[in-house]
Amino acid sequence: MTDQPLFLQVETTGTSLWYDRVTMIGWDLGGQYEIAFPGSNDARLAAVMTEAETLITFDGFRLDFPFLTKQYPNLPLPAKRINLRTLLRRKYGADKVLAMREHRGERGANLWYAHRAGDPEALRRLIENNHDAVQQLKLMWADCLGSPSQEPVSILNSVDAHAWVALAGDPEPAFTYDRLGLAPNLRVVGIDLTGSESRPSGWCLMEGAHAETRRIKTDEEMLRRIADAAPALVSIDSPLSLPAGRLRVDDEDPTRAEFGINRECERVLRKRGVGVYPPLLPSMQALTARGIALAQRIRDLGVPVIEGFPGVAQDILGIPRKKASVTYLRDGLARFGILGEFQEGRVSHDELDAITVAITGLFYLAGRYEALGDEQEGCLIVPYLGETAKNVIQ
């Protein structure tokens, strides 16, 4: 065992421990930089953990350690663990510490998705950015000790970087359409609804694995197209119910103080580290009212309706959200196995979310879903990659 500290940086697809995943781990022990991808170089990662007495990260207690133990439940983390963010915040204040860590080049998640999309240089850039972040940890640690670093900062060898790229291989999607086992002519409509008919909503008619998308403004046109398509299900990205006990969407509702602006499904998602807007936040009220009314009119046509959340579905399926990159989102849907003109780029981000919420409907019909929420309020449906349906009613 060495008394030299182990500096470590974990790269992930996001910050939700429930839905996001580790993409790579980089570390430096004694001036030697190394990396591991889940499933490759795992033995070396475990060995280096037993070699070091002290493990140093930037914000390990909140991010690195939980993700590591999720990915490697039996990984022997060193007993001494230091969080540089905490130490530096005491020395410089929170704002300066965030500024010190703010610029790390391209976002790691975007580079990982670019690698998956076939960019031959993206993974090399991810490794280089991780290397730079690990070296920055060493400089921060020297700052905490009050002296300049006495050891040379390790240099990333470009030959090694290309060799490491081969370690990652070509990652496959976590789940693909063909595994759902659905009839090839099954029809599902997905709607990424807006709060007003003056702004177009994303629309998708899914027939089997083929997605036809467009943007639609009015409820009447949506209802007409649903009647023409005769889908087995409509899946809508919009709150479709009120919190239990609430009578109206507006702030003048006399029950607002008692029953609040959130439903149980929002509470569940927040516990899982997912940011979600309350359905009765003032900026969400028009959307919630429109969603509830539209869902009822669709049900009056004899078509079942579920509520979906494209962002969470994309997290579960390992597909980047539109805020990360519309291009990578489009590629992720294609890798999942969806066909259509959207693959050629003639599509808006609203239509891509409509495809995703339609995919949620496919998971629901296949019995592979999780129902988040409350029986009285109704549930938010998200894909579940296990074999059977799973209800979460808390």
Side-chain angles (χ1 to χ4, degrees), residues 322-340:
K322 61 189 177 187
K323 67 180 180 181
S325 167
V326 170
T327 299
Y328 300 153
L329 170 53
R330 186 179 67 234
D331 175 78
L333 292 171
R335 286 171 61 86
F336 176 75
I338 303 302
L339 308 172

Side-chain angles (χ1 to χ4, degrees), residues 95-228:
D95 292 341
K96 184 173 181 180
V97 172
L98 287 177
M100 292 168 69
R101 194 64 168 170
E102 191 174 56
H103 181 65
R104 282 192 50 212
E106 298 167 90
R107 287 189 66 243
N110 280 12
L111 289 170
W112 180 253
Y113 290 130
H115 162 62
R116 287 183 50 180
D119 181 344
E121 291 296 307
L123 194 59
R124 180 186 60 79
R125 296 200 304 273
L126 174 60
I127 294 170
E128 290 176 346
N129 284 358
N130 179 272
H131 170 266
D132 291 346
V134 172
Q135 303 318 307
Q136 188 184 48
L137 293 177
K138 297 169 71 174
L139 297 175
M140 287 180 171
W141 176 235
D143 191 333
C144 289
L145 296 178
S147 62
S149 176
Q150 298 301 309
E151 60 178 321
V153 173
S154 68
I155 304 300
L156 178 63
N157 185 297
S158 60
V159 176
D160 291 339
H162 286 291
W164 286 327
V165 167
L167 284 177
D170 181 21
E172 294 298 322
F175 198 99
T176 52
Y177 168 81
D178 59 294
R179 291 181 59 187
L180 291 173
L182 297 169
N185 59 348
L186 180 68
R187 291 186 171 189
V188 170
V189 166
I191 303 173
D192 181 35
L193 196 65
T194 61
S196 168
E197 291 183 284
S198 65
R199 294 187 294 116
S201 299
W203 163 278
C204 172
L205 172 59
M206 188 83 73
E207 183 166 2
H210 188 273
E212 175 188 325
T213 67
R214 64 184 67 246
R215 302 177 79 199
I216 297 175
K217 283 189 173 182
T218 68
D219 293 353
E220 295 304 324
E221 184 179 355
M222 290 185 196
L223 292 166
R224 177 177 61 79
R225 288 186 178 276
I226 290 170
D228 291 343

